[in-house]
Amino acid sequence: MKYLDEFRDAKAVQRVSKTIERTARHPWNIMEVCGGQTHSIVRYGLDRLLPSEITLIHGPGCPVCVTPIELIDAAIQLASHPDFILCSFGDMLRVPGSSGDLLGVKAQGGDIRIVYSPLDALDIAQGNPDRQVVSFAVGFETTAPTHAMAVLQAQQRGLQNYSMIVSHVLVPPAMEAILSSPGNRVQGFLAAGHVCTIMGYEQYQPIAEKYKVPIVVTGFEPLDIMEGIAMVVAQLEAGEHRVENQYTRSVQPTGNLEARRVIEQVFEIGPRTWRGIGEIPESGLRLTSQFAHFDALQRFADRLSLSIQPTIDHSECQSGLVLQGRIKPSECSSFGTRCTPEHPLGAPMVSSEGACAAYYRFRSHEVTEPMS
Ligand code: SF4
């Protein structure tokens, strides 16, 4: 398949790994901030093709995993009420809140609809005028344009029964939080190609300069990731810290200007709590005052007596350390025993982009998928 098979070519991947081997003269720690990249690395065993000098660190690249528990609790409260229909991506249903998850609410009769596009929720709202339809808007910059478009279309259609719980997070502030944290080990980044497809990569330049780290925009296939690592290593060995673009088949420097315009029309930047990590300034999106009437938390705060309190993860879950790359999932004492995809203690074991789920799926029996 064009644009797929050639990026999973084992011989091409091995050639790049040899280049990295020849280039790397010092130990370097490189972080990917994308759950899709984490899954590719673990699935294809890419980290094991690297010389011992190179350590890959998995970052907070799973938006479902960093959605704060208090917002999941809010979604559970609303979905439990017969007047409401909650629309969500399927990944969110098994993510634990402070007590229970959305799948449990659905099993007890809660009306929770899994949607594949945020725009599907608009048709559901139109078809159910007597009920309130709430969209759980989760994701990085990648899904923000369609959630913003859903708000604009809801306005156009005059839908009075549509609102959303917004939990969008932004990647660059998280990278800065990691780089400025005490004991940071990260010396270079693979930036997420899908995020940069929307936002471009100009905003990474000040980070590269301030913290003197190379940042390479990278795709998701094995060859993409190996090339991204090779580009980061070449810069590190040369003492450089630039932003480069490996994912040229998708990413332009300024991204998708129309998508960015839609985001800026509907959302503004604000503080955001990242589950397991804490609040990161200016790292989230919220509805602007013009669209605040679509904010479900504001709209139903009195009616449902929502008291959204910050809550903490299960005491055995070390997802905060996993999300910051301080431990590997397999180093968590509950991994594969008390915590499995069937009985997850934390979000990274649930989400298809979670690092713990990747390790469980591809490393718990030490079998990795062969490339073509
Ligand atoms: S393995 Fe489970 S308990 Fe451990 S950090 Fe991951 S999600 Fe949390």
Side-chain angles (χ1 to χ4, degrees):
M1 195 183 299
K2 189 159 172 57
Y3 297 128
L4 200 54
D5 290 346
E6 62 266 50
F7 293 98
R8 293 183 181 176
D9 183 320
K11 287 197 172 62
V13 170
Q14 280 159 1
R15 274 197 298 276
V16 182
S17 89
K18 292 286 175 210
T19 303
I20 296 169
E21 208 173 295
R22 286 193 298 274
T23 311
R25 293 284 170 267
H26 306 87
W28 302 113
N29 299 318
I30 301 170
M31 174 177 273
E32 84 277 358
V33 196
C34 165
Q37 291 171 342
T38 302
H39 271 249
S40 275
I41 289 165
V42 179
R43 177 178 181 178
Y44 295 108
L46 301 181
D47 48 341
R48 292 171 174 177
L49 293 175
L50 295 171
S52 58
E53 287 86 353
I54 308 302
T55 302
L56 296 185
I57 301 175
H58 314 308
C62 162
V64 167
C65 303
V66 300
T67 298
I69 298 181
E70 50 268 32
L71 292 189
I72 295 170
D73 287 348
I76 286 173
Q77 285 186 42
L78 291 175
S80 302
H81 198 289
D83 284 351
F84 286 81
I85 299 171
L86 184 87
C87 296
S88 172
F89 294 137
D91 264 17
M92 286 306 300
L93 265 61
R94 299 203 59 228
V95 179
S98 58
S99 59
D101 56 31
L102 288 166
L103 194 64
V105 176
K106 190 171 169 61
Q108 288 167 9
D111 195 345
I112 297 173
R113 315 271 179 101
I114 294 173
V115 291
Y116 297 96
S117 162
L119 300 173
D120 295 344
L122 302 182
D123 294 334
I124 294 170
Q126 197 137 25
N128 294 272
D130 299 333
R131 301 176 72 198
Q132 292 292 333
V133 174
V134 176
S135 210
F136 203 172
V138 171
F140 286 129
E141 295 92 327
T142 330
T143 50
T146 41
H147 282 127
M149 187 58 77
V151 169
L152 292 176
Q153 290 196 7
Q155 181 108 312
Q156 274 173 10
R157 292 199 209 177
L159 292 174
Q160 302 295 318
N161 62 332
Y162 174 82
S163 59
M164 60 172 53
I165 298 172
V166 182
S167 183
H168 276 295
V169 284
L170 305 172
V171 172
M175 289 165 67
E176 280 214 72
I178 288 164
L179 289 168
S180 56
S181 65
N184 166 56
R185 296 183 296 144
V186 178
Q187 295 161 298
F189 278 104
L190 304 182
H194 59 347
V195 169
C196 296
T197 299
I198 301 296
M199 303 302 289
Y201 52 84
E202 292 174 336
Q203 59 192 317
Y204 294 94
Q205 196 59 50
I207 299 174
E209 284 169 13
K210 180 176 177 184
Y211 296 96
K212 302 199 182 323
V213 288
I215 300 173
V216 175
V217 178
T218 303
F220 307 92
E221 296 300 332
L223 186 56
D224 290 320
I225 292 168
M226 234 20 159
E227 285 180 355
I229 294 167
M231 291 162 80
V232 172
V233 171
Q235 283 199 51
L236 287 167
E237 288 290 344
E240 297 172 352
H241 45 271
R242 290 175 285 112
V243 178
E244 284 187 287
N245 182 15
Q246 179 278 331
Y247 201 34
T248 52
R249 67 187 185 279
S250 179
V251 176
Q252 298 295 318
T254 53
N256 182 326
L257 292 175
E258 184 58 25
R260 289 176 64 179
R261 189 188 64 73
V262 172
I263 294 173
E264 286 164 15
Q265 192 178 348
V266 173
F267 294 120
E268 62 187 11
I269 293 173
R272 172 68 61 195
T273 299
W274 294 52
R275 183 175 188 164
I277 297 176
E279 184 171 311
I280 301 177
E282 307 294 288
S283 69
L285 295 177
R286 62 186 175 204
L287 290 157
T288 63
S289 55
Q290 186 190 349
F291 296 101
H293 52 290
F294 286 104
D295 185 335
L297 299 186
Q298 282 189 31
R299 190 186 283 191
F300 304 114
D302 296 340
R303 185 168 161 189
L304 291 181
S305 302
L306 290 171
S307 63
I308 309 302
Q309 299 295 332
T311 45
I312 54 171
D313 265 303
H314 190 285
S315 57
E316 289 179 39
C317 180
Q318 296 182 284
S319 66
L321 297 178
V322 170
L323 289 165
Q324 294 171 83
R326 293 182 187 271
I327 62 169
K328 300 252 188 224
S330 49
E331 291 168 337
C332 169
S333 56
S334 299
F335 175 83
T337 52
R338 294 263 303 125
C339 181
T340 63
E342 289 74 33
H343 300 287
L345 296 182
M349 186 56 94
V350 180
S351 170
S352 61
E353 294 188 294
C356 300
Y359 272 70
Y360 188 87
R361 183 166 176 206
F362 300 115
R363 292 264 159 103
S364 56
H365 306 296
E366 286 302 320
V367 175
T368 55
E369 193 162 312
M371 284 172 271
S372 51

Coordinates of all heavy atoms in Angstrom, one line a residue, residues 317-371:
C317 N -1.3 3.1 41.2 CA -1.0 3.5 39.8 C 0.1 4.5 39.7 O 0.0 5.6 40.4 CB -2.3 4.0 39.1 SG -2.0 4.5 37.4
Q318 N 1.1 4.3 38.9 CA 2.2 5.2 38.8 C 2.2 5.9 37.4 O 3.2 6.1 36.8 CB 3.5 4.4 39.0 CG 3.7 3.8 40.4 CD 5.0 3.1 40.5 OE1 5.2 2.0 40.0 NE2 6.0 3.7 41.2
S319 N 1.0 6.1 37.0 CA 0.9 6.7 35.6 C 1.6 8.0 35.5 O 2.1 8.4 34.4 CB -0.6 6.8 35.2 OG -1.3 7.8 36.0
G320 N 1.6 8.8 36.6 CA 2.3 10.1 36.5 C 3.8 9.9 36.1 O 4.3 10.6 35.3
L321 N 4.4 8.9 36.7 CA 5.8 8.6 36.4 C 6.0 8.1 35.0 O 6.9 8.4 34.3 CB 6.4 7.6 37.4 CG 6.4 8.1 38.9 CD1 7.0 7.0 39.8 CD2 7.3 9.4 39.0
V322 N 5.0 7.2 34.6 CA 5.0 6.7 33.2 C 4.9 7.8 32.2 O 5.6 7.9 31.2 CB 3.9 5.6 33.0 CG1 3.8 5.2 31.5 CG2 4.2 4.4 33.8
L323 N 3.9 8.7 32.4 CA 3.6 9.8 31.5 C 4.7 10.8 31.3 O 4.9 11.5 30.3 CB 2.3 10.5 31.9 CG 1.0 9.7 31.7 CD1 -0.1 10.3 32.4 CD2 0.7 9.6 30.2
Q324 N 5.5 10.9 32.4 CA 6.7 11.8 32.3 C 8.0 11.1 31.9 O 9.0 11.7 31.9 CB 6.9 12.5 33.7 CG 5.7 13.4 34.0 CD 5.8 13.9 35.4 OE1 6.5 14.9 35.7 NE2 5.1 13.3 36.3
G325 N 7.8 9.8 31.6 CA 9.0 9.0 31.1 C 10.0 8.7 32.2 O 11.1 8.4 32.0
R326 N 9.5 8.8 33.5 CA 10.5 8.5 34.6 C 10.6 7.1 34.9 O 11.6 6.6 35.4 CB 10.0 9.3 35.8 CG 10.2 10.8 35.7 CD 9.8 11.6 36.9 NE 9.8 13.0 36.6 CZ 10.8 13.8 36.7 NH1 12.0 13.3 37.1 NH2 10.8 15.1 36.3
I327 N 9.6 6.3 34.5 CA 9.7 4.8 34.6 C 9.1 4.3 33.3 O 8.2 4.9 32.7 CB 9.0 4.2 35.8 CG1 7.5 4.4 35.8 CG2 9.7 4.7 37.1 CD1 6.7 3.6 36.8
K328 N 9.5 3.1 32.9 CA 8.8 2.3 31.9 C 7.6 1.6 32.4 O 7.6 1.3 33.6 CB 9.8 1.3 31.3 CG 11.1 1.8 30.7 CD 11.1 1.8 29.2 CE 12.4 2.2 28.7 NZ 12.3 3.1 27.5
P329 N 6.6 1.4 31.6 CA 5.4 0.7 32.2 C 5.7 -0.6 32.9 O 5.1 -0.9 34.0 CB 4.5 0.5 30.9 CG 4.9 1.6 30.0 CD 6.4 1.8 30.2
S330 N 6.6 -1.3 32.3 CA 6.9 -2.6 32.9 C 7.6 -2.5 34.3 O 7.7 -3.5 35.0 CB 7.8 -3.5 32.0 OG 8.9 -2.7 31.5
E331 N 8.0 -1.3 34.6 CA 8.7 -1.1 36.0 C 7.6 -0.8 37.0 O 7.9 -0.7 38.2 CB 9.7 0.1 35.9 CG 10.9 -0.3 35.1 CD 11.8 0.9 34.7 OE1 11.3 2.1 34.7 OE2 13.0 0.7 34.5
C332 N 6.4 -0.6 36.6 CA 5.3 -0.3 37.6 C 5.0 -1.7 38.3 O 4.8 -2.7 37.6 CB 4.0 0.2 36.9 SG 2.6 0.2 38.0
S333 N 4.9 -1.7 39.6 CA 4.8 -3.0 40.3 C 3.4 -3.7 40.0 O 3.3 -4.9 40.2 CB 5.0 -2.8 41.8 OG 4.0 -1.8 42.3
S334 N 2.5 -2.9 39.5 CA 1.1 -3.5 39.2 C 1.0 -4.0 37.8 O 0.0 -4.6 37.4 CB 0.0 -2.5 39.5 OG 0.0 -2.1 40.8
F335 N 2.0 -3.7 36.9 CA 1.9 -3.9 35.5 C 1.7 -5.4 35.3 O 2.5 -6.3 35.7 CB 3.2 -3.5 34.8 CG 3.2 -3.8 33.3 CD1 2.6 -3.1 32.4 CD2 3.9 -5.0 32.9 CE1 2.6 -3.4 31.0 CE2 3.9 -5.3 31.6 CZ 3.3 -4.5 30.6
G336 N 0.6 -5.8 34.6 CA 0.4 -7.1 34.1 C -0.1 -8.1 35.3 O -0.4 -9.2 35.0
T337 N -0.2 -7.6 36.5 CA -0.7 -8.4 37.6 C -2.0 -7.7 38.1 O -3.1 -8.2 37.7 CB 0.4 -8.4 38.7 OG1 0.8 -7.1 39.1 CG2 1.6 -9.2 38.3
R338 N -1.8 -6.7 38.9 CA -3.0 -6.0 39.4 C -3.6 -5.2 38.3 O -4.8 -4.8 38.4 CB -2.7 -5.2 40.6 CG -2.3 -5.9 41.9 CD -3.4 -6.2 42.8 NE -4.0 -4.9 43.3 CZ -5.3 -4.6 43.2 NH1 -6.1 -5.5 42.6 NH2 -5.7 -3.4 43.6
C339 N -2.9 -4.8 37.4 CA -3.3 -3.9 36.3 C -3.2 -4.5 34.9 O -2.1 -4.8 34.5 CB -2.5 -2.6 36.4 SG -3.1 -1.4 35.1
T340 N -4.3 -4.8 34.3 CA -4.3 -5.4 33.0 C -5.4 -4.6 32.1 O -6.2 -3.9 32.7 CB -4.7 -6.8 33.0 OG1 -6.0 -6.9 33.5 CG2 -3.8 -7.7 33.9
P341 N -5.4 -4.8 30.8 CA -6.4 -4.1 30.0 C -7.9 -4.5 30.5 O -8.8 -3.7 30.4 CB -6.2 -4.6 28.6 CG -4.7 -4.9 28.6 CD -4.4 -5.4 29.9
E342 N -8.0 -5.7 31.0 CA -9.3 -6.2 31.5 C -9.7 -5.5 32.8 O -10.8 -5.2 33.1 CB -9.4 -7.7 31.7 CG -9.4 -8.5 30.4 CD -8.0 -8.5 29.8 OE1 -7.0 -8.5 30.5 OE2 -7.9 -8.5 28.5
H343 N -8.7 -5.3 33.6 CA -8.9 -4.6 35.0 C -7.9 -3.5 35.1 O -6.9 -3.6 35.9 CB -8.7 -5.7 36.1 CG -9.7 -6.8 36.0 ND1 -11.1 -6.6 36.3 CD2 -9.6 -8.0 35.6 CE1 -11.7 -7.8 36.0 NE2 -10.8 -8.6 35.6
P344 N -8.0 -2.4 34.4 CA -7.0 -1.3 34.5 C -7.1 -0.5 35.7 O -8.2 -0.2 36.2 CB -7.4 -0.5 33.2 CG -8.9 -0.7 33.0 CD -9.1 -2.1 33.5
L345 N -6.0 -0.2 36.3 CA -5.9 0.7 37.4 C -5.7 2.2 37.0 O -6.0 3.1 37.7 CB -4.8 0.3 38.4 CG -4.9 -1.0 39.1 CD1 -3.7 -1.2 40.0 CD2 -6.2 -1.2 39.8
G346 N -5.2 2.4 35.8 CA -4.9 3.7 35.3 C -5.2 3.8 33.8 O -5.3 2.8 33.1
A347 N -5.3 5.1 33.4 CA -5.7 5.3 32.0 C -4.7 4.8 31.0 O -5.0 4.3 29.9 CB -5.9 6.8 31.8
P348 N -3.3 4.8 31.3 CA -2.4 4.4 30.2 C -2.5 2.9 29.9 O -2.0 2.4 28.9 CB -1.0 4.6 30.8 CG -1.3 5.7 31.8 CD -2.6 5.5 32.4
M349 N -3.3 2.1 30.7 CA -3.5 0.7 30.4 C -4.7 0.5 29.6 O -5.0 -0.5 29.0 CB -3.6 -0.1 31.7 CG -3.7 -1.6 31.5 SD -2.3 -2.3 30.6 CE -1.2 -2.8 31.9
V350 N -5.6 1.6 29.5 CA -6.8 1.5 28.7 C -6.7 2.0 27.3 O -7.1 1.3 26.4 CB -7.9 2.3 29.4 CG1 -9.2 2.2 28.7 CG2 -8.1 1.9 30.9
S351 N -6.2 3.1 27.2 CA -6.2 3.8 25.9 C -5.4 3.1 24.8 O -4.3 2.5 25.1 CB -5.7 5.2 26.0 OG -5.5 5.8 24.7
S352 N -5.9 3.1 23.6 CA -5.1 2.5 22.5 C -3.8 3.3 22.3 O -2.9 2.8 21.6 CB -5.9 2.6 21.2 OG -6.2 3.9 20.8
E353 N -3.6 4.5 22.8 CA -2.4 5.2 22.7 C -1.6 5.2 24.0 O -0.5 5.8 24.1 CB -2.7 6.7 22.3 CG -3.3 6.9 21.0 CD -3.3 8.3 20.6 OE1 -4.1 9.1 21.2 OE2 -2.6 8.7 19.6
G354 N -2.0 4.5 25.0 CA -1.4 4.5 26.3 C -0.1 3.6 26.3 O -0.1 2.5 25.7
A355 N 0.9 4.0 27.0 CA 2.2 3.3 27.0 C 2.0 2.0 27.7 O 2.6 1.0 27.3 CB 3.3 4.2 27.6
C356 N 1.3 1.9 28.8 CA 1.1 0.7 29.5 C 0.4 -0.4 28.6 O 0.8 -1.5 28.6 CB 0.4 0.9 30.8 SG 1.2 2.1 31.9
A357 N -0.6 0.1 27.9 CA -1.3 -0.8 27.0 C -0.4 -1.3 25.9 O -0.4 -2.5 25.5 CB -2.5 -0.1 26.4
A358 N 0.5 -0.5 25.4 CA 1.5 -0.9 24.4 C 2.4 -2.0 24.9 O 2.6 -3.0 24.3 CB 2.3 0.3 23.9
Y359 N 2.9 -1.7 26.1 CA 3.8 -2.7 26.7 C 3.1 -4.0 27.0 O 3.7 -5.1 26.8 CB 4.5 -2.2 28.0 CG 5.8 -1.4 27.7 CD1 5.7 -0.2 27.0 CD2 7.0 -1.9 28.0 CE1 6.9 0.5 26.7 CE2 8.2 -1.2 27.8 CZ 8.1 0.0 27.1 OH 9.2 0.7 26.8
Y360 N 1.8 -3.9 27.5 CA 1.1 -5.1 27.8 C 0.8 -5.9 26.5 O 1.0 -7.1 26.4 CB -0.2 -4.8 28.5 CG -0.9 -6.0 29.0 CD1 -0.7 -6.5 30.2 CD2 -1.8 -6.7 28.1 CE1 -1.3 -7.7 30.7 CE2 -2.5 -7.8 28.6 CZ -2.2 -8.3 29.8 OH -2.8 -9.5 30.3
R361 N 0.5 -5.2 25.4 CA 0.1 -5.9 24.2 C 1.3 -6.5 23.5 O 1.2 -7.6 23.0 CB -0.6 -4.9 23.3 CG -1.1 -5.5 22.0 CD -2.1 -4.6 21.3 NE -2.4 -5.2 20.0 CZ -2.8 -4.5 18.9 NH1 -2.9 -3.2 19.0 NH2 -3.1 -5.2 17.8
F362 N 2.4 -5.8 23.5 CA 3.5 -6.2 22.6 C 4.7 -6.7 23.4 O 5.6 -7.3 22.8 CB 4.0 -5.0 21.7 CG 2.9 -4.5 20.8 CD1 2.4 -3.3 20.9 CD2 2.4 -5.4 19.8 CE1 1.4 -2.8 20.1 CE2 1.4 -4.9 19.0 CZ 0.9 -3.6 19.1
R363 N 4.8 -6.4 24.7 CA 6.0 -6.8 25.5 C 5.7 -7.8 26.6 O 6.7 -8.4 27.1 CB 6.7 -5.6 26.1 CG 7.3 -4.6 25.1 CD 8.8 -4.9 24.8 NE 9.2 -4.3 23.6 CZ 9.9 -3.2 23.4 NH1 10.2 -2.5 24.5 NH2 10.3 -2.8 22.2
S364 N 4.4 -8.0 27.0 CA 4.2 -8.9 28.1 C 4.6 -10.3 27.8 O 5.0 -11.1 28.7 CB 2.8 -8.8 28.6 OG 1.9 -9.1 27.5
H365 N 4.6 -10.7 26.5 CA 5.1 -12.0 26.1 C 6.4 -11.9 25.3 O 6.8 -12.9 24.7 CB 4.0 -12.8 25.4 CG 2.8 -12.9 26.2 ND1 2.7 -13.5 27.4 CD2 1.5 -12.3 26.0 CE1 1.4 -13.4 27.9 NE2 0.7 -12.7 27.0
E366 N 6.9 -10.7 25.2 CA 8.1 -10.4 24.5 C 8.1 -10.9 23.0 O 9.0 -11.4 22.5 CB 9.3 -11.1 25.2 CG 9.8 -10.4 26.4 CD 10.1 -8.9 26.2 OE1 10.8 -8.6 25.1 OE2 9.8 -8.1 27.0
V367 N 6.9 -10.6 22.4 CA 6.8 -10.9 21.0 C 6.5 -9.5 20.3 O 5.6 -8.8 20.7 CB 5.6 -11.8 20.7 CG1 5.4 -11.9 19.2 CG2 5.8 -13.2 21.3
T368 N 7.3 -9.2 19.3 CA 7.1 -8.0 18.6 C 6.7 -8.3 17.2 O 7.1 -9.4 16.7 CB 8.3 -7.0 18.6 OG1 9.4 -7.8 18.1 CG2 8.6 -6.5 20.0
E369 N 6.0 -7.4 16.5 CA 5.4 -7.7 15.2 C 6.5 -7.5 14.1 O 7.2 -6.5 14.1 CB 4.3 -6.8 14.9 CG 3.5 -7.2 13.8 CD 2.1 -6.5 13.8 OE1 1.5 -6.6 14.9 OE2 1.7 -6.0 12.8
P370 N 6.7 -8.5 13.2 CA 7.7 -8.3 12.2 C 7.3 -7.3 11.2 O 6.1 -7.1 10.9 CB 7.8 -9.7 11.6 CG 6.5 -10.4 11.8 CD 6.0 -9.8 13.1
M371 N 8.3 -6.5 10.7 CA 8.0 -5.6 9.5 C 8.0 -6.4 8.3 O 8.5 -7.6 8.2 CB 9.1 -4.5 9.5 CG 8.9 -3.5 10.6 SD 10.2 -2.3 10.7 CE 11.3 -3.1 11.8

